[in-house]
Amino acid sequence: MRPLTEDELRKALVNATRDERERLELPHDFPILEWDHLDFLAWRDPTTRSRGYVVAELGGEPTGIVLRASGSVQGGSAMCNICHSMQPGNQVAMFTARRTGDAGDRGDSVGTYVCADLTCHENVRIAGPLAPSEVRASVDRRIDGTRHRLESFVERVASAA
């Protein structure tokens, strides 16, 4: 992902109101992010835990969305729909995002289950020891799949329907 300034990041949020852009709390590590190692940027708002942000590159342009956490899965285990990681249920939450344009003005939103701390980028890279039949390429496929699924989610929110 190409490096973004704070202004570029705020402007990239396609479903944010002016107030949401102004209230945006950047991730604490924003000044030292290693952009070359990011497929996308995702973080929970440090001051408002029910809010999160995701920024991906769509067509070479940064496109971000504001997310709302609706609560975690109760009991058992659950799978994140972005990184496909199985986790305890309380570590996966339903996130919704208001769509852009007229659809968003009518109250339409898109939702999916995501890692509650929005660390899909790191979680997919955590690979245990390779099994005898597993090759490194399978981990690379997981990384590519995670990026593709996140970009598709952002695109669904950003498309004016």
Side-chain angles (χ1 to χ4, degrees), residues 44-132:
R44 293 289 291 262
D45 190 306
T47 58
T48 307
R49 294 296 299 160
S50 63
R51 192 170 32 238
Y53 306 93
V54 172
V55 180
E57 288 185 343
L58 299 181
E61 291 297 317
T63 305
I65 57 174
V66 178
L67 302 169
R68 300 269 183 244
S70 301
S72 60
V73 175
Q74 299 301 310
S77 60
M79 184 175 79
C80 169
N81 287 334
I82 302 298
C83 66
H84 286 180
S85 296
M86 287 298 294
Q87 301 188 47
N90 65 349
Q91 293 179 19
V92 175
M94 169 60 82
F95 280 90
T96 60
R98 181 181 56 248
R99 296 192 66 192
T100 60
D102 291 338
D105 292 342
R106 289 190 308 268
D108 289 355
S109 63
V110 178
T112 193
Y113 287 99
V114 183
C115 294
D117 56 6
L118 296 177
T119 57
C120 298
H121 175 79
E122 288 102 21
N123 291 345
V124 76
R125 285 167 166 73
I126 297 172
L130 294 176

Side-chain angles (χ1 to χ4, degrees), residues 10-73:
R10 289 178 193 278
K11 289 176 185 172
L13 297 171
V14 296
N15 70 337
T17 64
R18 189 175 66 189
D19 287 345
E20 287 172 325
R21 283 189 181 96
E22 290 173 7
R23 286 192 315 250
L24 168 76
E25 286 284 330
L26 295 172
H28 295 299
D29 60 349
F30 185 75
I32 59 169
L33 283 175
E34 295 185 36
W35 294 95
D36 291 340
H37 299 287
L38 292 178
D39 299 314
F40 54 86
L41 179 61
W43 75 101
R44 293 289 291 262
D45 190 306
T47 58
T48 307
R49 294 296 299 160
S50 63
R51 192 170 32 238
Y53 306 93
V54 172
V55 180
E57 288 185 343
L58 299 181
E61 291 297 317
T63 305
I65 57 174
V66 178
L67 302 169
R68 300 269 183 244
S70 301
S72 60
V73 175

